[in-house]
Amino acid sequence: MTEVLEIQSTKDNVMLGLQKALSEYSIAALTRKGGKVLFDYVDSVDKIELEYTPTVLSPKKFFFPQEEVILEYTLEGKVNTKIEYKKTVLFGVRPCDITGIQILDEAFSESNGDPNYLTKRENSVIIGIDCKSVCDENAFCYKVASQNPEKGFDIMLRDLGNDYAMTIATRKGEVFAEEYFSTFKPDYEALHEFRVQKERAFEEAGGPFEELENLPAIFSENQFHPIWDSEAERCLSCGSCIMVCPTCYCFDVIDELSLSMKIGDRLRRWDACMLRSFAEVSGGENFREEVKNRVKHRINRKFNFLMLKHGRSVCVGCGRCVRSCLADISPVTIVDALTKTSKEMRLEEKNNDLYLPEKAYIRKIESFTDKEKFFELEMENGKSLGAQPGQFILLSIFGIGEAAISVSSPPSFGDRFEIVVRAVGDVTNKLHTLTEGDFVFIRGPFGHGFDENILRKMKGKHLLFIAGGIGYVPLRSLINLTLKQTDLYKKISILYGCKTPEDRMYKDELAYISTLGGNVELLETVDKGDDTWLKNTGVITTLIPQVDFDPEETIAVVCGPPVMYKFVTKTLNDHGIPNSSIYVSLERRMKCGVGKCGHCQIDDIYVCQDGPVFRFSDIEDKEEAL
Amino acid sequence: MSKPKVAFFDFTSCEGCQLSILNLETELLDLLEIIDIVEFREAMSEKSPVFDIAVIEGSYSRDSDLKRLKKIRETASVVVALGACAHIGGINALRNSQNKEDLMKKVYPDNPFLYETNEKALPISGAIKVDAFVPGCPVDVKEFVRVVKNLVLGKDPGLPTYPVCVECKLNENVCVYELGKTCLGPVVRAGCNAVCTSSGGVCIGCRGLIPNPNINSQKDIMEKYGLDMKRIIDSVNMFMTEDAKGVQ
C-alpha cells in the first residue's frame, strides 16, 4: 500500500465488527481486571475500556512477552525451536505505544530477524486510537514527537463523537476493515477539526525538547555532567523504569529443566540494564557495577546510542518510567539539564574571547630559504601552546591581519614553539621584517591534527612520510615525535621532494636524520639539482618505488602543494596502499579557525575544525578536496 | 547417578517452611525421584546419621544449638538455610534490640529463668557456613524446588539479585506507594513473584535485602511518603537482624 486510506464508520459498527472478529482472532484491549486497568485479552467487546488510563505495562508484551519459551529440548539431545503465537487484534493502542512498536519492529527485524517477535507481529492487526489531548501530567510524548506515528499500526481510529474516522496504513488493515467494518466516506471537516484540536492541545502542553534533533550530541558531550551523580544517588536500581518501558527490549536467557530432569525449556525473560547483575559475568566481574553508569547507559540508549540508530528519540514519552520511579528520576529532567549545560557551554565559548589573540615574543629567527623563515615563539603568559602534531595557529600582526600557520615543533617542546613561514601575503611579509624580541599575537592551536586515535593506529606500522617543499613543515611535528620513539614503529621512511636543494626546509635536521640509520630512512629528491646534489632528481613519486614496504602494514602521511596529492595518492594506490591508510594535511584559506567564517569549507566539512589532517578515504569523494 | 540424601532439621522457628514443602504434594513425589529424604521430623520418624544435603529451618538462638549445627555441618556437604529465620534471623530476631533479662520477664513472667536463650537470635550463618539459602517467610516452594534442582545439577542456586519491584511491575501492579502505603519492595530480594503486593499487601522484607541496596534513598522515599524514622527502622528490622543485613 502506498497511499493512506481515510474512511469512517460508526462506533457501534466498529464494536460489532470486533465482536465478529472474535471468531477468528483473539482480541487484546484496554480492560479492567481485579482493580487494574491493563491491556489484556477480552472475551467480549463490552469489556473494552475506551477511555484511556495509562497502564503499567505497554502492549509490547503481546509481541515480546515478559517470559517465553524459545527452545524445548531433552537431555538426550533432541531440540526444537518454539514460537508461540495466536492471531490477535490489538485494539486501542495509543500513539506513544505505537511509536514504541515501530521502534521494536526495527530493532527486532534488523540483521538477524527475531522469529519469536516477528511471528507474533505478523499475526497481529494493530488498531490504534488517537489521543486528542495529553493523557496525564507525566506523559511527555509531545517533547519527543511521538504523538503522531505514521507506522507501527494497521488502522488508526479518531473519535468523532458517534463515529470513528479511520486511517488505514497497511494492506492488512485494509483487508481487516473490509471484512469487519461497514465504512463510508469520511467527514473530512470533522476529521480536520479533530486534528486541529489535537495539535492545539499538544502545543499547549509544550512543544518538543528544545534541541530534540541534537540530543545525541548533547548527551555525548555531557557524559560527566553532575546530574548523573545526583540521579544515581537517589536511584534504587529497582529496574521498574525498564520493566515498564515500551521500547526496552533486552532479555536474559535461562534453562529450566523439568523436575523429571529429562526434558526442559530454554526461556527468555525481560532483563534490565538498570539491574546490578545485568553486565556481570561468571567469576563475578561486573562491567557496569556503578549505579551511575547504569543510569547513564539507560538514558543514553534512549537519547543517544539508539537514537542515532533509529533516527529518532527511542524514548516515546509515554511517562511510564516517571510514574513508576519512587526516586523521581525523569528523562525530562535529565534532558533539560544536559541541554541547558550544552547551551551554556556554547554561550560560554562565545564569551570566552574566541577572537582575542594572546601576545607571543619572537625568540629566534633563521632564514631557511629566500622566502621562508623559521621563527621560535614564546607566549607572554608563559603557557605552553599544547598543540597536537598537525594543528595550526592563527598569527596576527595588528594593523595587517591574521594568517593560519602550521606549528612545526612536536608537542613536548617546552614553553616555546616553532613555525616556518613563507612570505607570500600581507601578514607573512610583515612577519619577515620583524626581528628577535619583537612580538606578534597568537590564537589557537586549532584544528584536528594527528590525535591519539591516529597515533594509536600508527603503532607497529611502517610510516611513510611524503612531503613536498614547505609541506615538510606541517608534518615535521609528527616526524619528530615518531623519531623520538622509533622502536614504536616497524619502520619510518621520510620521502622529501623540493624544486632545488636550496628550497629544502630544516636542512641541518635533514642532515642529522640521514645519519640515524636503524629503522629510519630519508629519501630526498629535487626537480633540478646543482653540482653538490648527489641524491635523486625527479618528481616525488619516483621515490615511492625505492621504499621497501608491505602495503598492509604501511600508513602514509602526505603534505605538499595541491598538485602533489593527486599523483602521490595514485602512486600509493598503485603500490597497494588503500586510501584508508593515507593521511593528508590540507591547506585552505582560513579566517576564524573555529568553523564559522566559511572560507575553508569543503562540502559539509570545515578544514579548520575537521582537519587539517584527514584520513584520505574520508574525503576522497569530495570533488573540492584536492 | 545415585540420588543425594537430604535431611531436614529445625531450630527456632514455626516450622511453617517445612510444612510448605509437605504441601507440595504431587511435586513432592517428583522431587523424590531426584533426592532421597532420609530425615524429616515433620513427615517421618526415621533418622539418618549420614546425608549429603542438610536443609535447616529456624534461627540459631540457643547455646545448645551450636553443637547440633556443627555436627550437621560436619556431616553434610551442602547446607541450605530454609526460610527467613535460618536465612536472616526472621521474626525471632525482632527481640535482638531488647535487653534479654527484661524480655524473659515479659514473655515468661512466672519462670523467666527456666528457659535457655542467647542474647540474640541469629541466622544459621551466625553459627556455621551456609552454602545456599531459600529466602522467605514462608519459603516459595517453587523456588525451593528450583534451588534443590539446581544443587543436584551442580548449578548456582539461581536466586534473583534484583528487587521485588521487578516482579511487581511484571505483574502490572499499580505501585502501592501510589495507593498511600509504604513498601520495602525496592530493596528486598525478588523471587516471590511479588506475592504480597500482588494480593493487596505490601512487601515487609521477609526475603532479605538485595546486594547493594540503596538504603538511604529508600529511607528518603519512605519519609517522603509520611513515615517517621522510627517506623522506617521498625519496618526494615521486622525480619532482619542487624547482623543479617549483609547476608546475601
Side-chain angles (χ1 to χ4, degrees):
Chain A
M1 250 189 78
T2 50
E3 230 171 87
V4 170
L5 189 65
E6 303 277 9
I7 46 175
Q8 192 162 323
S9 180
T10 66
K11 283 184 177 172
D12 289 346
N13 178 268
V14 168
M15 286 303 147
L16 216 63
L18 284 177
Q19 187 69 35
K20 215 160 68 184
L22 266 171
S23 61
E24 182 129 356
Y25 293 88
S26 295
I27 294 184
L30 202 64
T31 186
R32 240 168 237 284
K33 203 175 176 185
K36 301 184 230 180
V37 177
L38 74 172
F39 282 96
D40 204 355
Y41 291 102
V42 291
D43 52 15
S44 166
V45 292
D46 53 24
K47 297 204 176 133
I48 297 176
E49 289 281 323
L50 293 169
E51 204 60 46
Y52 184 66
T53 314
T55 55
V56 175
L57 297 189
S58 83
K60 84 170 176 193
K61 63 180 181 174
F62 295 104
F63 311 122
F64 176 48
Q66 292 94 316
E67 182 174 291
E68 71 183 306
V69 177
I70 54 172
L71 281 186
E72 291 171 325
Y73 51 81
T74 71
L75 288 199
E76 277 126 33
K78 278 193 200 141
V79 59
N80 285 308
T81 54
K82 185 155 185 204
I83 301 173
E84 266 183 291
Y85 70 92
K86 47 184 173 186
K87 277 181 81 175
T88 299
V89 176
L90 184 51
F91 179 79
V93 189
R94 263 53 185 186
C96 54
D97 287 339
I98 287 177
T99 306
I101 290 171
Q102 189 188 326
I103 289 164
L104 291 187
D105 284 353
E106 287 170 20
F108 278 110
S109 56
E110 66 169 9
S111 55
N112 286 300
D114 183 286
N116 293 64
Y117 177 90
L118 294 177
T119 307
K120 290 185 194 53
R121 190 63 183 81
E122 279 157 14
N123 284 283
S124 67
V125 178
I126 296 181
I127 303 179
I129 296 182
D130 202 358
C131 298
K132 210 170 179 176
S133 57
V134 182
C135 60
D136 75 358
E137 71 284 359
N138 292 313
F140 57 97
C141 48
Y142 53 90
K143 285 185 185 287
V144 289
S146 71
Q147 73 272 34
N148 292 311
E150 284 169 5
K151 279 195 277 181
F153 63 91
D154 300 296
I155 303 174
M156 178 71 87
L157 307 183
R158 294 192 175 84
D159 190 338
L160 302 183
N162 288 327
D163 292 357
Y164 278 126
M166 297 183 185
T167 300
I168 311 281
T170 62
R171 176 78 192 130
K172 206 198 282 179
E174 195 179 2
V175 170
F176 188 87
E178 255 169 36
E179 168 99 27
Y180 294 105
F181 304 139
S182 44
T183 59
F184 42 88
K185 212 164 84 59
D187 177 350
Y188 283 111
E189 210 170 297
L191 185 56
H192 178 73
E193 184 53 28
F194 179 98
R195 289 191 164 123
V196 169
Q197 277 186 27
K198 173 174 182 170
E199 203 179 319
R200 199 177 302 139
F202 281 75
E203 245 165 46
E204 272 166 23
F209 280 129
E210 209 179 331
E211 301 209 21
L212 177 61
E213 306 290 317
N214 203 18
L215 288 180
I218 289 174
F219 271 74
S220 290
E221 65 194 28
N222 281 297
Q223 295 295 331
F224 301 100
H225 195 285
I227 196 163
W228 297 122
D229 296 288
S230 58
E231 302 307 280
E233 202 180 315
R234 298 202 312 281
C235 177
L236 293 152
S237 290
C238 72
S240 293
C241 50
I242 307 249
M243 290 299 130
V244 300
C245 179
T247 65
C248 277
Y249 56 87
C250 294
F251 55 83
D252 196 8
V253 178
I254 302 136
D255 268 28
E256 283 234 332
L257 205 54
S258 79
L259 202 43
S260 73
M261 296 295 216
K262 291 191 179 89
I263 59 168
D265 294 332
R266 183 160 292 172
L267 315 162
R268 77 161 159 204
R269 192 182 286 161
W270 290 0
D271 204 349
C273 62
M274 275 312 307
L275 301 178
R276 191 170 175 274
S277 59
F278 187 79
E280 197 174 51
V281 292
S282 300
E285 191 69 39
N286 193 331
F287 293 97
R288 214 176 286 121
E289 191 156 14
E290 300 259 320
V291 180
K292 182 165 88 175
N293 292 338
R294 299 202 293 271
V295 175
K296 263 163 84 168
H297 185 75
R298 168 194 160 221
I299 305 279
N300 266 281
R301 265 177 74 93
K302 303 296 172 199
F303 297 105
N304 186 1
F305 313 148
L306 294 188
M307 181 163 173
L308 288 171
K309 198 161 113 179
H310 292 276
R312 60 148 294 123
S313 161
V314 168
C315 168
V316 296
C318 66
R320 287 190 178 88
C321 60
V322 185
R323 288 178 207 110
S324 75
C325 183
L326 288 168
D328 295 329
I329 297 169
S330 161
V332 177
T333 325
I334 295 172
V335 168
D336 284 346
L338 301 193
T339 306
K340 184 163 171 272
T341 304
S342 281
K343 274 175 69 185
E344 279 169 3
M345 262 156 51
R346 270 174 253 153
L347 278 176
E348 212 172 276
E349 271 173 28
K350 188 173 92 190
N351 299 332
N352 244 0
D353 308 327
L354 184 67
Y355 298 116
L356 182 70
E358 289 186 77
K359 202 183 226 176
Y361 288 97
I362 301 172
R363 294 300 181 206
K364 208 168 139 192
I365 303 178
E366 201 181 307
S367 277
F368 272 3
T369 71
D370 281 353
K371 277 189 273 167
E372 281 122 356
K373 271 188 184 175
F374 160 92
F375 297 86
E376 189 176 292
L377 301 172
E378 183 179 25
M379 302 302 293
E380 186 190 45
N381 61 20
K383 284 186 198 155
S384 94
L385 193 65
Q388 244 170 26
Q391 279 191 306
F392 65 94
I393 51 157
L394 282 157
L395 179 144
S396 47
I397 299 173
F398 291 143
I400 312 289
E402 216 176 26
I405 313 278
S406 296
V407 178
S408 62
S409 46
S412 54
F413 195 61
D415 300 342
R416 298 186 179 190
F417 63 97
E418 296 175 12
I419 55 176
V420 178
V421 182
R422 175 181 289 176
V424 282
D426 294 338
V427 176
T428 50
N429 279 327
K430 180 69 184 175
L431 181 65
H432 271 239
T433 67
L434 300 183
T435 57
E436 287 171 12
D438 286 344
F439 63 81
V440 292
F441 278 85
I442 301 292
R443 283 198 296 135
F446 294 120
H448 182 246
F450 296 94
D451 63 14
E452 286 300 321
N453 273 333
I454 302 179
L455 294 177
R456 209 176 305 127
K457 278 186 202 148
M458 290 179 166
K459 275 190 190 150
K461 295 284 165 64
H462 181 175
L463 301 185
L464 193 57
F465 292 101
I466 305 176
I470 197 170
Y472 186 81
V473 172
L475 294 192
R476 186 209 173 229
S477 64
L478 178 64
I479 292 175
N480 283 17
L481 184 74
T482 58
L483 290 179
K484 276 188 189 162
Q485 294 171 291
T486 52
D487 52 335
L488 283 181
Y489 309 96
K490 193 175 163 193
K491 194 174 166 189
I492 298 170
S493 303
I494 302 162
L495 280 52
Y496 188 27
C498 288
K499 281 187 178 143
T500 70
E502 252 321 289
D503 293 323
R504 297 153 67 234
M505 302 287 115
Y506 286 97
K507 295 185 186 74
D508 298 343
E509 203 167 280
L510 291 172
Y512 167 71
I513 293 172
S514 65
T515 65
L516 281 177
N519 62 345
V520 179
E521 63 179 352
L522 172 69
L523 280 75
E524 291 195 76
T525 184
V526 294
D527 295 348
K528 192 167 174 290
D530 56 19
D531 300 344
T532 61
W533 185 253
L534 299 173
K535 299 182 182 176
N536 303 281
T537 311
V539 292
I540 181 95
T541 46
T542 59
L543 294 180
I544 293 171
Q546 298 182 34
V547 183
D548 179 23
F549 60 83
D550 169 3
E552 304 258 310
E553 290 290 306
T554 302
I555 290 180
V557 185
V558 185
C559 187
V563 61
M564 190 185 101
Y565 291 98
K566 214 172 283 177
F567 296 104
V568 169
T569 53
K570 184 176 180 305
T571 312
L572 289 173
N573 292 161
D574 291 346
H575 285 81
I577 298 183
N579 288 343
S580 56
S581 296
I582 302 174
Y583 289 87
V584 295
S585 177
L586 300 184
E587 183 192 1
R588 281 295 182 277
R589 186 172 178 210
M590 289 171 191
K591 282 288 170 188
C592 73
V594 287
K596 294 194 168 50
C597 78
H599 290 91
C600 68
Q601 201 170 354
I602 304 173
D603 299 352
D604 57 335
I605 59 170
Y606 284 91
V607 174
C608 71
Q609 278 195 317
D610 303 310
V613 171
F614 293 97
R615 191 154 77 147
F616 190 50
S617 53
D618 293 338
I619 54 162
E620 60 181 325
D621 295 333
K622 300 194 188 298
E623 203 181 338
E624 290 185 357
L626 294 188
Chain B
M1 187 177 74
S2 68
K3 292 192 277 186
K5 291 184 172 57
V6 180
F8 286 76
F9 301 98
D10 36 56
F11 289 80
T12 310
S13 65
C14 73
E15 301 183 19
C17 291
Q18 292 172 85
L19 196 62
S20 301
I21 290 165
L22 292 175
N23 279 340
L24 270 172
E25 295 179 356
T26 49
E27 262 189 308
L28 190 59
L29 296 177
D30 291 334
L31 195 62
L32 291 175
E33 293 289 311
I34 61 167
I35 58 171
D36 257 338
I37 297 182
V38 294
E39 183 166 344
F40 197 156
R41 194 181 55 81
E42 238 177 73
M44 57 200 257
S45 45
E46 292 91 334
K47 288 182 184 261
S48 170
V50 281
F51 42 84
D52 305 300
I53 300 174
V55 180
I56 303 175
E57 180 179 358
S59 52
Y60 156 48
S61 67
R62 295 180 302 186
D63 211 27
S64 56
D65 294 343
L66 189 59
K67 201 177 145 203
R68 211 174 132 222
L69 282 165
K70 283 190 167 160
K71 177 85 182 121
I72 294 169
R73 180 71 264 188
E74 275 165 28
T75 313
S77 48
V78 177
V79 170
V80 181
L82 181 74
C85 297
H87 169 211
I88 49 176
I91 291 292
N92 304 316
L94 263 177
R95 68 178 173 90
N96 287 2
S97 57
Q98 301 170 57
N99 175 283
K100 181 179 143 188
E101 271 68 43
D102 296 347
L103 192 74
M104 292 303 281
K105 275 183 226 158
K106 215 188 296 175
V107 180
Y108 305 108
D110 302 333
N111 297 303
F113 304 109
L114 280 182
Y115 301 92
E116 178 207 355
T117 189
N118 281 351
E119 219 35 72
K120 286 182 175 182
L122 295 178
I124 295 306
S125 60
I128 56 171
K129 184 175 162 281
V130 170
D131 304 296
F133 55 85
V134 186
C137 177
V139 289
D140 180 299
V141 284
K142 282 194 182 135
E143 188 168 59
F144 169 76
V145 171
R146 192 169 347 107
V147 168
V148 170
K149 218 162 59 181
N150 286 342
L151 288 175
V152 172
L153 282 169
K155 279 172 73 172
D156 182 89
L159 296 178
T161 54
Y162 49 77
V164 173
C165 287
V166 168
E167 292 171 343
C168 197
K169 289 292 170 299
L170 291 178
N171 292 343
E172 304 194 52
N173 297 327
V174 172
C175 183
V176 296
Y177 279 89
E178 271 183 52
L179 306 174
K181 303 175 196 170
T182 52
C183 172
L184 289 178
V187 289
V188 167
R189 186 189 293 266
C192 53
N193 197 23
V195 60
C196 295
T197 51
S198 301
S199 322
V202 298
C203 175
I204 51 175
C206 72
R207 298 173 55 85
L209 297 174
I210 50 166
N212 293 329
N214 190 343
I215 293 291
N216 284 336
S217 183
Q218 175 69 23
K219 279 180 189 158
D220 290 346
I221 287 161
M222 294 175 98
E223 220 173 344
K224 192 177 84 183
Y225 281 87
L227 286 198
D228 60 35
M229 198 40 79
K230 187 182 173 304
R231 287 193 52 207
I232 294 172
I233 292 168
D234 284 352
S235 68
V236 177
N237 283 353
M238 174 102 160
F239 278 95
M240 280 164 271
T241 72
E242 207 40 61
D243 315 78
K245 296 258 163 70
V247 172
Q248 309 234 288

